Amino acid sequence: MGTPGDATRTVLVCGEVRTGLLPTFEPLDVRAAEQLLRLRADELVLVSKRPNLYALSPETLTGVDCRLPTSNGAKVRAVGTVTARAALTEGRLLQADAYFRVPASGPDERRPWGQYLVRPGVVEPLGKLPQEALVQGVLAGSGRGELDLGLIAEGLLARLLRHKLLVHRTPMKSQRTRLRWVALPAADAEGASIERFTLAEDELRTVRLRVPEGVEPAAVAGLCEDLALHDWLLTTVVRLLDGSRPGSADGADAALALRPAVEHLLHLWMPGARVHHVLAPLWDVLEREPGFSRQWNTLVQRIRDQLAVQAVPLLRAALAPR
């Protein structure tokens, strides 16, 4: 994330991810995914088919000149560009992420725009950066007149959702989730860690990371997108189970309510499949606490048990003598 001792080195990377179900009844194929995510004519959409279908848009830049969010009310003006990109997994789950990196300090006066444009994805403070106040401010959410990453990510989502490919019909009800994240440099090359992961609200999560020097912001963004995707899957399946009333007398309705999860969601669980190898150990932390895959496997077993219970009467009826 920079060279130690350099006043302009990156001391913080901040981002926000929006995750939700693509408003189509059927998932998009490769060609349609490329059409949806072609945000720039001069760059191709990156597509991977293994271990599942994944498409990543080109990066776009948004110029900003505003105050940074701070927890102590410090008014820190910053200028630069925020990176935004979108990803589509299995033609079904759409994500938009906006993020930037920030150095420890900047000039006392604003530079010409050209000097900011040659450093894409960097937002430079005027003067010294109050690092901890910015960390807490980003995770708490921006105030009026402050840099709002969620607004940029939401704007990208809105742009994509206007695409003519989308029919705005979905196979199930779901809600979008938001993940705000900050990453600070680790003390050593082996010091990648998750300092805090919080379920702040029904749809909001926050995560504070430590990552080794030299890891690109795009790789950190990729980790957080992966975390946001799997958190969305957990959240959505829990809500489907709660809404299906598995213990109710009308079990057939419960089974019908769970069918979309089986058809559209269960095969998407692949944590860490595309995470940078240096950051991959962080998934081990999440598997221990709060235990993502352990909870997911429990939910999947509940769904299978419920569907099996409903299948028994049907099987008996089919085998009964006539």
Side-chain angles (χ1 to χ4, degrees), residues 125-143:
L126 271 61
K128 188 176 180 181
L129 181 74
Q131 179 174 304
E132 186 57 32
L134 175 59
V135 169
Q136 296 182 25
V138 167
L139 296 180
S142 302

Side-chain angles (χ1 to χ4, degrees), residues 244-257 306 310:
S244 70
R245 300 180 297 126
S248 65
D250 194 353
D253 286 346
L256 187 63
Q306 178 63 21
Q310 297 309 312

Side-chain angles (χ1 to χ4, degrees), residues 157-169:
L157 267 185
R159 174 183 172 183
L160 293 169
L161 295 179
R162 290 193 297 267
H163 201 284
K164 62 183 181 181
L165 283 169
L166 306 181
V167 297
H168 294 274
R169 292 178 57 226

